[in-house]
Amino acid sequence: MKLSELLQAVEAEVLWSDPAHDATDVANVISSDLMSDVLMMDAEQPLLLSSLVSDQSLRTANVVGAVALVVANGKIPPPNMVELAQELGITLARTEMAKFEASVALGKALGR
Amino acid sequence: MEPLQLTAEQSPLLFLELLYKLRVRDVMAKDLVTIARSATMRDLKRLMQERKVSGVPVVENKRLYGIVSIEDLIQALEKNRMNAPVSEFMAPNAVTVEENMPLSIVMSYFNKYDYRRFPVLNASNEPVGIITARSINSRLLMELFRELARIENQYVLPVDDNATCYFKTYRIQKADFDNAGKASTEIKNVLRDRGIAAKTIRRVAIAAYELEINLAVHSDGGTLTFRADEDEIQIVSKDQGPGIADVSLAMKEGWTTANEWVKAMGFGAGMGLPNAKRVADEFHIASALGVGTNVTARFILPKAVPTPPASLPAAAVPGA
């Protein structure tokens, strides 16, 4: 499924995105606040859903090759995170949905 | 003795800087062995044997009267005058240096005068030490080692068009969460530029990141070194403490010493080292309490299979 469609599924507000990402096919979602766990998962080009707002969630996303980080629970990433997203080339978005709701919405959109 | 070749034109700047920075008092031997003028040459012989010195300043009431050396002792032996007082054989006008002098001046003294040792005087002209080639050597070596270690940690091999090896060391500060992960990001970019397969990049980046986070979380600060060759990639993490009490425990999944603050950052689940080991082809860890921890993660790159030019008939390719 296209990244743009997944972002719509969680009614995400996009804070920074690489226009080339919109058409990127995303088949995996990692939903976690524990970056240690995210680093253990073998999912190709995932979307990372997390309620952890920190530079380290973006750096972890970068290390595991994620295309996008969606911040859940209505949290607002600070401006320096938006800058880092741009630097790392990772689409950064936020949603008002709770992490569970957002997980369910993403799962449904992916037909799981 | 061959004069020391130390000219400003030929010496590296760092070395000259060191010679100006170090003062005589930093270099001199402070446990000064002295003798009185009235002592006999026989006393001097015993003193030299006991204290293993070859030159002794003649001092009384914190005043320097001269210096007497092993050469003077040989003279006394030859003349069979071992019971004569030291004052008869000493060199009364010893060349001295001041404790505040930069080392560079003393080095020039060794060339200028034919002496092997210079008594050191403080501002009140009291003898406070002695400087010899040996004391200079050991101190200079120590300073040079320290300086070399510092340079080594900064050293980056330039990547030119023909370079096959890339090497860089990053300094990771204790508890610096603002910068933790920057080295791994850069390592990932370098690997991408080198055309490494995405799956390998991911494994290397995970190990680098886990080790980098570990340095920031657990160590008193250390270095992360990244080396990429044609056939392998290495990530080496080194720190100077505090060390791991039980390495086998630290390698166990879920075992952690991280505090709540680290956990709030999304780490400290006790998965860092096991995960770095999981993604690496080879993994070594060595640690000692009070010394530090060294971790090496190696990744073997598949050998590039040379593709034969399309125009060549298959039979002409060796092994085809």
Side-chain angles (χ1 to χ4, degrees), chain A residues 35 39 41 56 59 62 64, chain B residues 177 185 188 202 209 266 275:
Chain A
M35 297 304 117
L39 290 165
M41 287 176 194
Q56 298 309 333
R59 295 212 180 267
N62 179 47
V64 299
Chain B
F177 261 109
T185 302
K188 198 184 162 188
R202 194 187 135 100
Y209 189 53
N275 198 27

Side-chain angles (χ1 to χ4, degrees), chain B residues 15 55 99 122 134 159 191-192 194 198 211 234 238 249:
Chain B
F15 189 70
E99 63 173 349
N122 65 12
R134 187 195 163 98
V159 183
L191 292 177
R192 197 189 51 213
R194 283 175 76 91
L211 294 176
Q234 257 194 46
K238 277 188 189 180
L249 212 51

Side-chain angles (χ1 to χ4, degrees), chain A residues 33-37 39-44 46 52 54-57 59-60 62-65 87-88, chain B residues 177-178 180-182 184-185 188 199 202 205-206 209-210 213 253 264-269 271 275 278:
Chain A
D33 294 342
L34 191 54
M35 297 304 117
S36 301
D37 280 350
L39 290 165
M40 297 281 290
M41 287 176 194
D42 289 315
E44 199 129 312
L52 179 73
S54 94
D55 282 4
Q56 298 309 333
S57 20
R59 295 212 180 267
T60 303
N62 179 47
V63 163
V64 299
E87 186 196 318
L88 298 175
Chain B
F177 261 109
D178 289 340
K182 280 189 178 170
S184 305
T185 302
K188 198 184 162 188
K199 279 190 174 171
R202 194 187 135 100
I206 286 174
Y209 189 53
E210 294 279 19
I213 292 288
E253 292 189 2
M265 305 288 303
F267 294 95
M271 303 306 281
N275 198 27
R278 180 183 68 96

Side-chain angles (χ1 to χ4, degrees), chain A residues 64-76:
Chain A
V64 299
V67 272
L69 169 67
V70 177
V71 175
N73 295 8
K75 289 185 180 176
I76 301 168

Side-chain angles (χ1 to χ4, degrees), chain B residues 74-281:
Chain B
I74 292 169
Q75 291 253 337
L77 274 168
E78 280 179 348
K79 292 175 180 164
N80 204 10
R81 300 213 47 218
M82 290 300 283
N83 291 325
V86 160
S87 56
E88 272 189 37
F89 285 90
M90 71 180 188
N93 301 312
V95 178
T96 58
V97 294
E98 286 168 41
E99 63 173 349
N100 281 326
M101 273 185 183
L103 186 57
S104 54
I105 294 182
V106 183
M107 304 274 285
S108 71
Y109 273 35
F110 276 95
N111 287 343
K112 197 167 159 190
Y113 304 102
D114 208 14
Y115 302 129
R116 288 191 236 160
R117 61 194 72 77
F118 298 100
V120 180
L121 303 180
N122 65 12
S124 327
N125 279 332
E126 296 164 356
V128 287
I130 193 157
I131 197 158
T132 62
R134 187 195 163 98
S135 57
I136 293 178
N137 280 345
S138 57
R139 182 62 197 229
L140 268 185
L141 272 180
M142 203 177 89
E143 292 290 336
L144 285 175
F145 284 173
R146 189 179 300 164
E147 196 62 22
L148 280 174
R150 193 181 66 80
I151 294 167
E152 200 173 81
N153 284 336
Q154 293 179 339
Y155 189 58
V156 182
L157 270 182
V159 183
D160 64 52
D161 291 341
N162 299 316
T164 54
C165 171
Y166 183 95
F167 178 88
K168 186 162 181 180
T169 295
Y170 303 87
R171 188 153 277 288
I172 312 296
Q173 306 291 342
K174 180 182 183 175
D176 184 4
F177 261 109
D178 289 340
N179 290 302
K182 280 189 178 170
S184 305
T185 302
E186 200 177 300
I187 289 169
K188 198 184 162 188
N189 291 342
V190 170
L191 292 177
R192 197 189 51 213
D193 293 347
R194 283 175 76 91
I196 304 294
K199 279 190 174 171
T200 309
I201 293 181
R202 194 187 135 100
R203 286 162 56 219
V204 177
I206 286 174
Y209 189 53
E210 294 279 19
L211 294 176
E212 191 179 357
I213 292 288
N214 268 358
L215 281 171
V217 169
H218 295 293
S219 84
D220 298 334
T223 55
L224 191 77
T225 300
F226 161 62
R227 186 192 164 110
D229 287 288
E230 281 194 329
D231 51 357
E232 73 162 90
I233 295 163
Q234 257 194 46
I235 305 283
V236 179
S237 151
K238 277 188 189 180
D239 65 54
Q240 285 79 47
I244 302 170
D246 185 340
V247 172
S248 60
L249 212 51
M251 289 306 299
K252 220 165 121 182
E253 292 189 2
W255 192 85
T256 183
T257 56
N259 57 27
E260 290 310 311
W261 168 71
V262 171
K263 288 178 182 166
M265 305 288 303
F267 294 95
M271 303 306 281
L273 286 173
N275 198 27
K277 186 180 180 177
R278 180 183 68 96
V279 293
D281 290 317

